[in-house]
Amino acid sequence: MKAWMFSAKDDPGGWTNVERSALPDLPVLVRVTHSGLNYKDALSVAGRAPISRSFPMVPGIDVVGTVIEDASGAFRPGDAVVATGHGLGETSWGAYAEEARLKPEWLTRLPSGISPEQAAAVGTAGITAAMAIDALERFGITPADGPVAVTGPTGGVGSFASWLLARAGFHVVAITGRPSEADYLKANGASDVVDRAGLEGEPRPLGKERWIAGIDVAGGKVLANMLASTRYGGAVAACGLAASLALPTSVAPFILRGVSLLGIDSVMADAGKRRSAWQRVAAAAESLPFDRIIARHPFSDVADLAPKLLDQHLRGRVVFSW
């Protein structure tokens, strides 16, 4: 089978032919039909960060395909499945191959209402967004409670968060460093667009109450100021560190306004959370702008596209297929 492989730590990687017997000794054999190009994938393929941590390694953190065989009995041949996270492309062989062997607990049956191509477009980014909204709803946030702020709304997680929140009836406030994209953001579900510069200054313990909840991909001062501007009893779901790993805040939002900070981890999330997230996406799939955002490519284009994604020369969601 064809696979993009790093044979060793210092190997720049490339396409090669691999025997099926070389796949990891895991129960479920999947014929890979689609995958996407995530930021982490691009870093790995372009050699700009050491994403892979064992070798040989096949990158690609999102697997979409059909089951060939399953020694565990959890899946039947022909089942359409998707896998994200769980160290794929880092510690276990990932999606950039014609076949993959996976653990059954990593896999989710693809719900009706969403195609394999659409699932690849959603991938880790969309599922992270869906998990963040699920967490806010479990906390008790409803559309009637007030607006929800979203950082990084032109990126993968932020775009899907905006679309899914709007689909669920929420008033979305897009917080962006690219206010010139206001029309694009409103087409993606935002009701209001706020310049991110207002949240990049030194955080105050408390600010004006502006939203009941937030979904943040930035971290750092942006998250600190989002927390300081969250209304009494609200919550912020944190799922990224695009700006910083630090959180320079105080306890004031938590003890004076009862604000909660909800951590979202989509990498090792359990099967129940994954099923719930995929069901949310599938229920909204008909209204999501897949025709506008999907850029279709063969897997062979991955090396050309990886640096373009890192250099912000791509828009939309790259979807690979064989």
Side-chain angles (χ1 to χ4, degrees):
M1 66 175 187
K2 293 180 181 178
W4 174 281
M5 178 176 286
F6 298 106
S7 61
K9 185 176 181 179
D10 58 353
D11 177 21
W15 290 104
T16 187
N17 289 315
V18 179
E19 294 295 326
R20 178 185 283 183
S21 60
L23 287 166
D25 186 17
L26 297 174
V28 190
L29 179 63
V30 174
R31 178 177 293 106
V32 179
T33 60
H34 298 81
S35 187
L37 182 64
N38 292 284
Y39 191 77
K40 188 180 287 186
D41 298 323
L43 288 172
S44 180
V45 171
R48 297 194 189 179
I51 301 300
S52 297
R53 288 178 279 162
S54 63
F55 301 92
M57 181 55 60
V58 173
I61 66 175
D62 296 339
V63 174
V64 183
T66 57
V67 173
I68 297 173
E69 62 184 30
D70 179 11
S72 75
F75 297 92
R76 295 176 298 180
D79 282 349
V81 291
V82 58
T84 61
H86 289 294
L88 293 172
E90 300 178 65
T91 58
S92 187
W93 284 20
Y96 295 167
E98 292 181 299
E99 295 179 2
R101 276 200 177 275
L102 308 167
K103 293 182 179 180
E105 57 266 32
W106 297 351
L107 290 161
T108 301
R109 282 187 179 84
L110 206 59
S112 61
I114 185 169
S115 71
E117 181 184 71
Q118 291 169 339
V122 172
T124 293
I127 290 309
T128 301
M131 288 181 182
I133 299 170
D134 283 351
L136 292 175
E137 290 187 343
R138 286 196 302 271
F139 182 82
I141 302 296
T142 70
D145 294 325
V148 177
V150 176
T151 59
T154 59
V157 175
S159 291
F160 279 106
S162 297
W163 291 322
L164 293 171
L165 283 166
R167 171 67 165 69
F170 287 92
H171 181 108
V172 178
V173 178
I175 298 174
T176 181
R178 300 161 67 183
S180 60
E181 296 278 10
D183 290 343
Y184 172 79
L185 294 171
K186 289 182 178 179
N188 287 353
S191 297
D192 297 313
V193 177
V194 173
D195 193 332
R196 189 180 64 211
L199 278 77
E200 292 178 325
E202 288 303 315
R204 294 182 295 172
L206 291 174
K208 180 181 178 181
E209 294 179 82
R210 302 173 69 180
W211 37 72
I212 190 62
I215 295 176
D216 177 63
V217 302
K221 294 178 181 178
V222 172
L223 176 55
N225 281 308
M226 176 182 276
L227 288 164
S229 295
T230 299
R231 296 178 184 176
Y232 187 91
V236 173
C239 55
L241 44 74
S244 175
L245 184 64
L247 181 55
T249 190
S250 72
V251 299
F254 310 117
I255 66 173
L256 297 181
R257 287 189 182 158
V259 172
S260 294
L261 181 59
L262 310 178
I264 307 301
D265 167 44
S266 64
V267 174
M268 301 303 294
D270 62 40
K273 289 181 179 178
R274 290 177 183 278
R275 282 195 299 269
S276 176
W278 278 109
Q279 287 165 0
R280 175 182 290 277
V281 172
E286 188 174 337
S287 64
L288 295 179
F290 286 115
D291 288 342
R292 177 162 58 85
I293 67 170
I294 290 177
R296 299 172 178 86
H297 291 270
F299 273 93
S300 56
D301 285 352
V302 62
D304 292 332
L305 293 173
K308 292 179 181 178
L309 184 145
L310 297 175
D311 296 337
Q312 299 184 11
H313 294 155
L314 299 179
R315 175 186 265 187
R317 300 287 294 168
V318 170
V319 172
F320 297 123
S321 62
W322 292 105

